[in-house]
Coordinates of all heavy atoms in Angstrom, one line a residue:
M1 N 6.8 73.7 -6.3 CA 6.0 73.0 -5.4 C 6.6 71.8 -4.7 O 6.6 71.6 -3.6 CB 4.7 72.5 -6.0 CG 3.5 73.3 -5.6 SD 2.2 72.6 -6.5 CE 1.0 72.7 -5.4
L2 N 7.3 71.0 -5.5 CA 8.0 69.8 -5.0 C 9.1 70.1 -4.1 O 9.3 69.4 -3.1 CB 8.5 68.8 -6.2 CG 7.4 68.2 -7.0 CD1 8.0 67.5 -8.2 CD2 6.6 67.2 -6.1
E3 N 9.9 71.3 -4.4 CA 11.0 71.6 -3.6 C 10.5 71.9 -2.1 O 11.1 71.7 -1.2 CB 11.6 72.7 -4.2 CG 13.0 73.1 -3.4 CD 13.8 74.2 -3.9 OE1 13.2 75.0 -4.9 OE2 14.8 74.3 -3.6
A4 N 9.3 72.6 -2.0 CA 8.8 73.0 -0.7 C 8.4 71.8 0.1 O 8.5 71.8 1.3 CB 7.5 73.8 -0.9
L5 N 8.4 70.6 -0.6 CA 8.0 69.3 0.1 C 9.3 68.6 0.5 O 9.2 67.5 0.9 CB 7.0 68.4 -0.6 CG 5.7 69.0 -0.9 CD1 4.9 68.1 -1.9 CD2 4.9 69.1 0.5
G6 N 10.5 69.2 0.0 CA 11.7 68.5 0.3 C 12.2 67.5 -0.9 O 13.1 66.8 -0.6
V7 N 11.5 67.6 -2.0 CA 11.8 66.7 -3.1 C 12.8 67.5 -4.0 O 12.6 68.7 -4.3 CB 10.6 66.4 -4.0 CG1 11.0 65.5 -5.2 CG2 9.5 65.7 -3.2
D8 N 13.9 66.9 -4.3 CA 14.9 67.6 -5.2 C 14.4 67.8 -6.6 O 14.0 66.8 -7.3 CB 16.2 66.6 -5.2 CG 17.0 66.6 -4.0 OD1 16.9 67.7 -3.2 OD2 17.9 65.8 -3.7
T9 N 14.5 68.9 -7.1 CA 13.9 69.3 -8.5 C 15.0 70.0 -9.3 O 16.0 70.5 -8.6 CB 12.7 70.0 -8.4 OG1 13.0 71.3 -7.7 CG2 11.5 69.3 -7.7
S10 N 15.0 70.1 -10.4 CA 15.8 71.0 -11.3 C 15.3 72.3 -11.4 O 14.2 72.6 -11.2 CB 16.0 70.2 -12.6 OG 14.7 70.3 -13.4
K11 N 16.2 73.2 -11.6 CA 15.9 74.6 -11.6 C 16.4 75.2 -12.9 O 17.5 74.9 -13.3 CB 16.4 75.4 -10.5 CG 15.9 74.9 -9.1 CD 16.7 75.6 -8.0 CE 16.2 75.1 -6.7 NZ 16.2 73.6 -6.4
T12 N 15.6 76.1 -13.5 CA 16.1 76.8 -14.7 C 17.1 77.9 -14.3 O 16.9 78.6 -13.5 CB 14.9 77.5 -15.4 OG1 13.9 76.5 -15.8 CG2 15.3 78.4 -16.7
F13 N 18.3 77.7 -15.0 CA 19.4 78.6 -14.8 C 19.5 79.6 -15.8 O 19.6 80.9 -15.5 CB 20.7 77.9 -14.6 CG 21.9 78.6 -14.3 CD1 22.1 79.2 -13.0 CD2 22.9 78.8 -15.3 CE1 23.1 79.8 -12.7 CE2 24.0 79.6 -15.1 CZ 24.2 80.1 -13.7
S14 N 19.3 79.4 -17.0 CA 19.3 80.5 -18.0 C 18.7 79.8 -19.4 O 18.5 78.7 -19.6 CB 20.7 80.9 -18.4 OG 21.5 80.0 -19.0
L15 N 18.3 80.8 -20.2 CA 17.7 80.4 -21.4 C 18.4 81.3 -22.5 O 18.4 82.6 -22.4 CB 16.2 80.9 -21.5 CG 15.4 80.6 -22.8 CD1 15.3 79.1 -23.1 CD2 14.0 81.1 -22.7
I16 N 19.1 80.7 -23.5 CA 19.9 81.4 -24.4 C 19.5 81.1 -25.8 O 19.2 80.0 -26.2 CB 21.3 80.8 -24.4 CG1 21.9 81.1 -22.9 CG2 22.3 81.6 -25.4 CD1 23.0 80.1 -22.6
E17 N 19.1 82.3 -26.6 CA 18.5 82.1 -27.8 C 19.7 81.7 -28.8 O 20.8 82.4 -28.7 CB 17.7 83.4 -28.4 CG 17.2 83.2 -29.6 CD 16.3 84.4 -30.1 OE1 16.0 85.2 -29.2 OE2 15.9 84.4 -31.3
T18 N 19.6 80.8 -29.7 CA 20.8 80.3 -30.5 C 20.8 81.1 -31.7 O 21.8 81.2 -32.5 CB 20.7 79.0 -30.7 OG1 19.6 78.7 -31.6 CG2 20.6 78.0 -29.6
G19 N 19.7 81.8 -32.2 CA 19.8 82.5 -33.6 C 19.5 81.5 -34.7 O 19.3 82.0 -35.9
E20 N 19.3 80.2 -34.5 CA 19.1 79.3 -35.6 C 17.6 79.2 -35.8 O 16.9 79.4 -34.9 CB 19.6 77.9 -35.3 CG 21.1 78.0 -35.1 CD 21.6 76.6 -34.6 OE1 21.0 75.5 -35.0 OE2 22.5 76.6 -33.8
Q21 N 17.1 78.8 -36.9 CA 15.7 78.7 -37.2 C 15.4 77.2 -37.0 O 16.1 76.4 -37.4 CB 15.4 79.0 -38.6 CG 15.4 80.4 -38.9 CD 15.1 80.8 -40.2 OE1 14.8 80.0 -41.2 NE2 14.7 82.1 -40.6
L22 N 14.3 77.1 -36.2 CA 13.9 75.6 -35.9 C 12.5 75.2 -36.7 O 11.6 76.0 -36.6 CB 13.6 75.6 -34.4 CG 13.2 74.3 -33.8 CD1 14.3 73.1 -34.0 CD2 12.8 74.5 -32.3
M23 N 12.7 74.1 -37.1 CA 11.5 73.7 -38.1 C 10.8 72.6 -37.2 O 11.3 71.8 -36.7 CB 11.9 73.1 -39.3 CG 12.7 73.9 -40.3 SD 11.9 75.3 -40.7 CE 10.7 74.9 -42.0
R24 N 9.4 73.0 -36.9 CA 8.6 72.1 -36.0 C 7.3 71.9 -36.8 O 6.8 72.7 -37.5 CB 8.4 72.7 -34.7 CG 9.7 72.9 -33.9 CD 9.5 73.2 -32.4 NE 8.4 72.4 -31.8 CZ 8.2 72.4 -30.6 NH1 9.0 72.9 -29.8 NH2 7.3 71.5 -30.0
G25 N 6.7 70.7 -36.5 CA 5.5 70.4 -37.1 C 4.2 70.8 -36.2 O 3.1 70.8 -36.9
D26 N 4.4 71.2 -35.0 CA 3.3 71.6 -34.2 C 3.0 73.1 -34.0 O 2.3 73.4 -33.1 CB 3.5 70.8 -32.8 CG 4.7 71.2 -32.0 OD1 5.6 71.8 -32.7 OD2 4.8 71.1 -30.9
E27 N 3.8 73.9 -34.7 CA 3.7 75.3 -34.6 C 4.1 75.9 -35.9 O 4.9 75.3 -36.7 CB 4.4 75.8 -33.4 CG 5.8 75.7 -33.3 CD 6.5 76.1 -32.1 OE1 6.0 75.7 -31.0 OE2 7.4 76.9 -32.1
P28 N 3.8 77.3 -36.1 CA 4.5 77.9 -37.3 C 5.8 77.8 -37.3 O 6.6 78.0 -36.4 CB 3.9 79.3 -37.1 CG 2.7 79.2 -36.2 CD 3.0 78.1 -35.2
S29 N 6.3 77.4 -38.5 CA 7.8 77.3 -38.7 C 8.2 78.3 -39.8 O 7.5 78.6 -40.7 CB 8.2 75.8 -39.0 OG 7.9 75.0 -37.9
P30 N 9.5 78.7 -39.9 CA 10.5 78.3 -38.8 C 10.2 79.2 -37.5 O 9.7 80.2 -37.8 CB 11.8 78.7 -39.5 CG 11.5 79.7 -40.5 CD 10.1 79.3 -40.9
T31 N 10.7 78.7 -36.4 CA 10.5 79.4 -35.1 C 11.9 79.6 -34.6 O 12.9 79.0 -35.0 CB 9.6 78.7 -34.2 OG1 9.4 79.5 -33.0 CG2 10.2 77.3 -33.8
R32 N 12.0 80.4 -33.5 CA 13.3 80.8 -33.0 C 13.7 79.6 -32.2 O 12.8 78.9 -31.5 CB 13.2 82.0 -32.2 CG 12.9 83.2 -33.0 CD 12.5 84.5 -32.2 NE 13.0 84.6 -31.0 CZ 12.3 85.5 -30.1 NH1 11.3 86.4 -30.5 NH2 12.8 85.6 -28.9
S33 N 14.9 79.3 -32.0 CA 15.6 78.2 -31.2 C 16.3 78.8 -30.0 O 16.9 79.9 -30.0 CB 16.2 77.1 -32.0 OG 17.4 77.9 -32.5
S34 N 16.4 77.9 -29.0 CA 17.1 78.3 -27.8 C 17.6 77.1 -27.0 O 17.2 75.9 -27.3 CB 16.2 79.1 -26.9 OG 15.2 78.3 -26.5
V35 N 18.4 77.3 -26.2 CA 19.0 76.3 -25.3 C 18.6 76.6 -23.8 O 18.8 77.7 -23.3 CB 20.5 76.2 -25.3 CG1 21.2 75.1 -24.4 CG2 21.0 75.9 -26.8
L36 N 18.0 75.6 -23.1 CA 17.6 75.8 -21.7 C 18.6 75.1 -20.9 O 18.8 73.9 -21.0 CB 16.1 75.3 -21.5 CG 15.7 75.3 -20.0 CD1 15.3 76.7 -19.6 CD2 14.4 74.5 -19.9
L37 N 19.3 75.8 -20.0 CA 20.2 75.3 -19.0 C 19.6 75.2 -17.7 O 19.0 76.1 -17.1 CB 21.4 76.3 -18.8 CG 22.6 75.8 -17.8 CD1 23.2 74.5 -18.5 CD2 23.5 76.8 -17.9
R38 N 19.6 73.9 -17.3 CA 19.0 73.7 -15.9 C 20.0 73.1 -15.0 O 21.0 72.4 -15.4 CB 17.9 72.5 -16.0 CG 16.7 73.1 -17.0 CD 15.6 72.0 -17.0 NE 14.8 72.0 -15.9 CZ 13.9 72.8 -15.5 NH1 13.5 73.9 -16.2 NH2 13.1 72.5 -14.5
L39 N 19.9 73.4 -13.7 CA 20.7 72.8 -12.6 C 19.9 71.7 -11.9 O 18.7 71.9 -11.6 CB 21.1 73.9 -11.7 CG 21.8 75.2 -12.2 CD1 22.0 76.2 -11.1 CD2 23.1 74.6 -12.7
S40 N 20.6 70.6 -11.5 CA 19.9 69.5 -10.9 C 20.9 68.8 -10.1 O 22.1 69.0 -10.2 CB 19.3 68.7 -12.1 OG 18.7 67.5 -11.5
H41 N 20.4 68.1 -9.1 CA 21.2 67.2 -8.3 C 21.7 65.9 -8.9 O 22.7 65.3 -8.5 CB 20.5 66.9 -6.9 CG 20.1 68.0 -6.2 ND1 20.9 68.9 -5.5 CD2 18.9 68.8 -6.1 CE1 20.4 69.8 -4.9 NE2 19.2 69.8 -5.2
S42 N 21.1 65.5 -10.1 CA 21.5 64.3 -10.7 C 21.2 64.8 -12.2 O 20.4 65.4 -12.7 CB 20.5 63.3 -10.3 OG 20.8 62.2 -11.2
H43 N 22.0 64.1 -13.1 CA 21.7 64.1 -14.5 C 20.9 63.1 -15.1 O 20.6 63.2 -16.2 CB 23.1 64.1 -15.2 CG 23.8 62.8 -15.0 ND1 24.6 62.3 -14.1 CD2 23.8 61.7 -16.0 CE1 25.0 61.1 -14.2 NE2 24.6 60.7 -15.5
I44 N 20.4 62.2 -14.3 CA 19.4 61.2 -14.8 C 18.1 61.8 -14.8 O 17.7 62.1 -13.6 CB 19.7 59.8 -14.1 CG1 21.0 59.3 -14.4 CG2 18.4 58.9 -14.5 CD1 21.2 58.1 -13.4
R45 N 17.2 61.8 -15.7 CA 15.9 62.3 -15.6 C 15.0 61.4 -16.3 O 15.3 60.5 -16.9 CB 15.8 63.7 -16.3 CG 16.6 63.8 -17.6 CD 16.5 65.2 -18.3 NE 16.6 65.0 -19.7 CZ 15.5 64.9 -20.4 NH1 14.3 65.1 -20.0 NH2 15.7 64.5 -21.8
I46 N 13.7 61.6 -16.0 CA 12.7 60.6 -16.4 C 12.7 60.6 -18.0 O 12.5 59.5 -18.5 CB 11.2 61.0 -16.0 CG1 11.2 61.1 -14.4 CG2 10.1 60.2 -16.6 CD1 11.3 59.7 -13.8
G47 N 12.9 61.6 -18.7 CA 12.9 61.6 -20.1 C 14.1 60.6 -20.7 O 13.9 60.0 -21.7
T48 N 15.1 60.4 -20.0 CA 16.3 59.5 -20.3 C 15.6 58.2 -20.4 O 15.8 57.4 -21.4 CB 17.4 59.5 -19.4 OG1 17.8 60.8 -19.2 CG2 18.5 58.5 -19.8
F49 N 14.8 57.7 -19.4 CA 14.2 56.3 -19.3 C 13.1 56.3 -20.4 O 12.9 55.2 -21.1 CB 13.5 56.1 -18.0 CG 14.7 55.9 -17.0 CD1 15.1 57.0 -16.2 CD2 15.2 54.7 -16.7 CE1 16.1 56.7 -15.2 CE2 16.1 54.4 -15.7 CZ 16.6 55.5 -15.0
Q50 N 12.3 57.4 -20.6 CA 11.2 57.3 -21.6 C 11.8 57.1 -23.0 O 11.3 56.3 -23.8 CB 10.6 58.6 -21.5 CG 9.6 58.7 -20.4 CD 9.0 60.1 -20.3 OE1 9.4 61.1 -20.7 NE2 7.7 60.1 -19.8
R51 N 13.0 57.7 -23.4 CA 13.5 57.6 -24.6 C 14.0 56.2 -24.9 O 13.8 55.6 -25.9 CB 14.7 58.6 -24.9 CG 15.5 58.4 -26.2 CD 16.6 59.5 -26.2 NE 17.2 59.3 -27.4 CZ 18.2 58.6 -27.6 NH1 18.7 57.7 -26.6 NH2 18.8 58.4 -28.9
L52 N 14.6 55.6 -23.9 CA 15.2 54.2 -24.0 C 14.0 53.2 -24.1 O 14.1 52.2 -24.9 CB 16.0 54.0 -22.9 CG 17.4 54.7 -22.9 CD1 18.1 54.4 -21.6 CD2 18.2 54.3 -24.1
A53 N 13.0 53.4 -23.5 CA 11.8 52.6 -23.4 C 11.1 52.6 -24.9 O 10.7 51.6 -25.4 CB 10.7 52.9 -22.5
F54 N 10.9 53.9 -25.4 CA 10.6 54.0 -26.8 C 11.5 53.2 -27.9 O 10.9 52.5 -28.7 CB 10.4 55.5 -27.2 CG 10.0 55.7 -28.6 CD1 8.7 55.6 -29.0 CD2 11.0 56.0 -29.5 CE1 8.3 55.9 -30.3 CE2 10.6 56.2 -30.9 CZ 9.2 56.1 -31.3
L55 N 12.8 53.3 -27.7 CA 13.8 52.6 -28.4 C 13.7 51.1 -28.2 O 14.4 50.4 -28.9 CB 15.0 53.3 -28.5 CG 15.2 54.6 -28.9 CD1 16.6 55.2 -28.6 CD2 14.9 54.9 -30.4
E56 N 13.0 50.6 -27.1 CA 13.1 49.4 -26.7 C 14.5 48.8 -26.3 O 14.8 47.7 -26.5 CB 12.4 48.4 -27.6 CG 10.8 48.7 -27.7 CD 10.1 47.8 -28.8 OE1 10.9 46.9 -29.4 OE2 9.0 48.0 -28.9
D57 N 15.2 49.7 -25.8 CA 16.8 49.4 -25.3 C 16.7 48.9 -23.9 O 17.1 49.6 -23.0 CB 17.5 50.5 -25.6 CG 19.1 50.4 -25.5 OD1 19.3 49.2 -25.1 OD2 19.9 51.2 -26.0
N58 N 16.3 47.7 -23.7 CA 16.2 47.2 -22.3 C 17.6 47.1 -21.6 O 17.6 47.3 -20.4 CB 15.5 45.9 -22.2 CG 14.0 45.9 -22.6 OD1 13.4 47.0 -22.5 ND2 13.5 45.0 -23.5
A59 N 18.6 46.8 -22.3 CA 19.9 46.7 -21.6 C 20.4 48.0 -21.1 O 20.9 48.2 -20.1 CB 21.0 46.1 -22.7
A60 N 20.0 49.1 -21.9 CA 20.5 50.4 -21.4 C 19.7 50.9 -20.3 O 20.1 51.5 -19.4 CB 20.3 51.5 -22.6
I61 N 18.5 50.4 -20.2 CA 17.4 50.8 -19.1 C 18.0 50.1 -17.8 O 18.0 50.7 -16.7 CB 16.0 50.4 -19.3 CG1 15.5 51.3 -20.6 CG2 15.3 50.5 -18.1 CD1 14.1 50.8 -21.0
E62 N 18.4 48.9 -17.9 CA 18.9 48.1 -16.7 C 20.2 48.7 -16.3 O 20.4 48.9 -15.2 CB 19.2 46.7 -17.2 CG 17.8 45.9 -17.4 CD 17.0 45.8 -16.1 OE1 17.5 45.7 -15.0 OE2 15.9 45.8 -16.3
K63 N 21.1 49.2 -17.2 CA 22.3 49.8 -16.9 C 22.0 51.1 -16.1 O 22.7 51.3 -15.1 CB 23.2 50.1 -18.1 CG 24.5 50.5 -17.8 CD 25.3 50.7 -19.2 CE 26.8 51.1 -18.8 NZ 27.5 51.2 -20.1
L64 N 21.1 51.9 -16.5 CA 20.7 53.2 -16.0 C 20.1 52.9 -14.6 O 20.5 53.6 -13.5 CB 19.7 54.0 -16.7 CG 20.3 55.0 -17.6 CD1 19.1 55.6 -18.5 CD2 21.2 56.0 -17.1
L65 N 19.4 51.9 -14.5 CA 18.7 51.5 -13.1 C 19.9 51.2 -12.1 O 19.8 51.5 -10.9 CB 17.7 50.5 -13.2 CG 16.4 50.9 -13.9 CD1 15.5 49.7 -14.2 CD2 15.7 51.9 -13.1
A66 N 20.9 50.5 -12.7 CA 21.9 50.0 -11.7 C 22.6 51.1 -11.3 O 23.1 51.3 -10.1 CB 22.9 48.9 -12.5
I67 N 22.9 52.1 -12.2 CA 23.7 53.3 -11.9 C 22.9 54.2 -10.8 O 23.5 54.6 -9.8 CB 24.0 54.1 -13.0 CG1 25.0 53.6 -14.0 CG2 24.5 55.5 -12.7 CD1 25.3 54.0 -15.4
R68 N 21.6 54.4 -11.2 CA 20.7 55.0 -10.3 C 20.7 54.4 -8.8 O 20.8 55.2 -7.9 CB 19.4 55.2 -10.7 CG 18.5 56.2 -10.1 CD 17.1 55.7 -9.8 NE 16.9 54.4 -9.2 CZ 16.8 54.3 -7.9 NH1 16.9 55.3 -7.1 NH2 16.4 53.2 -7.3
S69 N 20.6 53.1 -8.6 CA 20.6 52.6 -7.4 C 22.0 52.7 -6.7 O 22.0 52.7 -5.4 CB 20.3 51.1 -7.5 OG 21.4 50.4 -8.1
T70 N 23.0 52.8 -7.3 CA 24.4 53.2 -6.6 C 24.5 54.7 -6.2 O 25.1 55.0 -5.3 CB 25.5 52.7 -7.4 OG1 25.7 53.5 -8.7 CG2 25.5 51.3 -7.7
I71 N 23.8 55.6 -7.0 CA 24.0 57.0 -6.7 C 22.9 57.4 -5.7 O 23.2 58.0 -4.7 CB 23.6 57.7 -8.0 CG1 24.7 57.6 -8.9 CG2 23.5 59.2 -7.6 CD1 24.5 58.2 -10.3
I72 N 21.7 56.8 -5.8 CA 20.4 57.3 -4.8 C 20.1 55.9 -4.2 O 19.2 55.2 -4.6 CB 19.4 57.9 -5.5 CG1 19.9 59.0 -6.4 CG2 18.3 58.3 -4.5 CD1 18.9 59.6 -7.3
S73 N 20.8 55.5 -3.0 CA 20.4 54.4 -2.3 C 20.1 54.8 -0.8 O 20.6 55.9 -0.4 CB 21.5 53.3 -2.4 OG 22.5 53.7 -1.6
P74 N 19.4 54.0 -0.1 CA 19.1 54.3 1.4 C 20.3 54.4 2.3 O 20.3 55.1 3.2 CB 18.2 53.2 1.7 CG 17.6 52.6 0.5 CD 18.6 52.8 -0.5
N75 N 21.3 53.8 1.6 CA 22.6 53.9 2.6 C 23.7 55.0 2.1 O 24.7 55.0 2.6 CB 23.2 52.6 2.6 CG 22.4 51.3 3.3 OD1 21.7 51.7 4.2 ND2 22.4 50.2 2.6
S76 N 23.3 55.7 1.1 CA 24.1 56.6 0.5 C 24.3 57.9 1.5 O 23.4 58.2 2.3 CB 23.7 57.1 -0.7 OG 22.5 58.0 -0.7
P77 N 25.5 58.5 1.5 CA 25.6 59.7 2.3 C 24.4 60.8 2.2 O 24.1 61.5 2.9 CB 26.9 60.3 2.0 CG 27.7 59.1 1.4 CD 26.6 58.2 0.7
R78 N 24.1 61.0 0.9 CA 23.0 61.9 0.5 C 21.7 61.6 1.2 O 21.0 62.4 1.6 CB 22.8 61.9 -1.0 CG 21.9 62.8 -1.5 CD 21.5 62.7 -3.0 NE 22.7 63.6 -3.7 CZ 22.8 63.8 -4.9 NH1 21.9 63.3 -5.7 NH2 23.7 64.7 -5.5
S79 N 21.4 60.3 1.4 CA 20.2 59.9 2.1 C 20.2 60.1 3.6 O 19.4 60.1 4.3 CB 19.8 58.5 1.8 OG 19.5 58.4 0.3
R80 N 21.6 60.0 4.1 CA 21.8 60.2 5.4 C 22.0 61.5 6.0 O 22.5 61.8 7.2 CB 22.9 59.2 5.9 CG 22.5 57.7 6.0 CD 23.6 56.9 6.3 NE 24.4 56.4 5.2 CZ 25.6 56.5 5.1 NH1 26.4 56.9 6.2 NH2 26.3 56.0 4.1
R81 N 21.8 62.5 5.2 CA 22.2 63.9 5.5 C 21.3 64.2 6.7 O 20.4 63.7 7.1 CB 22.0 64.8 4.4 CG 20.6 65.1 4.0 CD 20.5 66.0 2.9 NE 19.2 66.3 2.4 CZ 18.6 65.8 1.2 NH1 19.3 65.1 0.5 NH2 17.4 66.2 1.0
S82 N 22.0 65.2 7.4 CA 21.5 65.5 8.7 C 20.2 66.5 8.7 O 20.0 67.4 9.6 CB 22.5 66.2 9.6 OG 23.0 67.3 8.9
G83 N 19.5 66.4 7.6 CA 18.4 67.3 7.6 C 18.6 68.7 7.0 O 17.7 69.5 6.6
A84 N 19.9 69.0 6.7 CA 20.3 70.2 6.0 C 19.8 70.2 4.6 O 19.9 69.2 3.9 CB 21.8 70.4 6.0
R85 N 19.2 71.3 4.1 CA 18.7 71.3 2.7 C 19.9 71.7 1.8 O 20.8 72.6 2.2 CB 17.7 72.5 2.7 CG 16.5 72.4 3.5 CD 15.4 71.7 2.9 NE 15.1 71.8 1.5 CZ 14.0 72.5 1.0 NH1 13.1 73.0 1.7 NH2 14.0 72.5 -0.2
R86 N 20.0 71.0 0.8 CA 21.1 71.3 -0.2 C 20.6 72.5 -1.1 O 19.4 72.6 -1.5 CB 21.3 70.1 -1.2 CG 22.1 69.2 -0.4 CD 22.3 68.0 -1.3 NE 20.9 67.5 -1.7 CZ 20.7 66.4 -2.4 NH1 21.7 65.7 -2.9 NH2 19.5 66.0 -2.8
R87 N 21.5 73.4 -1.4 CA 21.2 74.4 -2.3 C 22.2 74.4 -3.4 O 23.4 74.0 -3.4 CB 21.3 75.8 -1.6 CG 20.3 76.0 -0.5 CD 19.0 76.2 -1.3 NE 17.9 76.3 -0.2 CZ 16.6 76.1 -0.5 NH1 16.3 75.9 -1.7 NH2 15.8 76.2 0.3
F88 N 21.9 74.9 -4.7 CA 22.7 75.1 -5.7 C 23.8 76.2 -5.4 O 23.6 77.2 -4.9 CB 22.0 75.4 -7.1 CG 21.1 74.4 -7.6 CD1 19.8 74.4 -7.5 CD2 21.8 73.1 -8.0 CE1 19.0 73.4 -7.9 CE2 21.0 72.1 -8.5 CZ 19.6 72.2 -8.5

């Protein structure tokens, strides 16, 4: 849905079962485990910030915000693209 609005989103590329047993508290255990491979235009995701906020690592949050502002800024070539849609 967001991609249709022109918002860059990640996409599922593959799901690989690892064969390891995974112990979880919120479902019957052990359960099957897997690795989800996603493609994205950036490696910074909301969960990265949420984890650091939970750990109260304000210095790391500030560092990520500084990196993000240099990667995605109004003056970056990515923002000035000529309307062409990027594809993986």
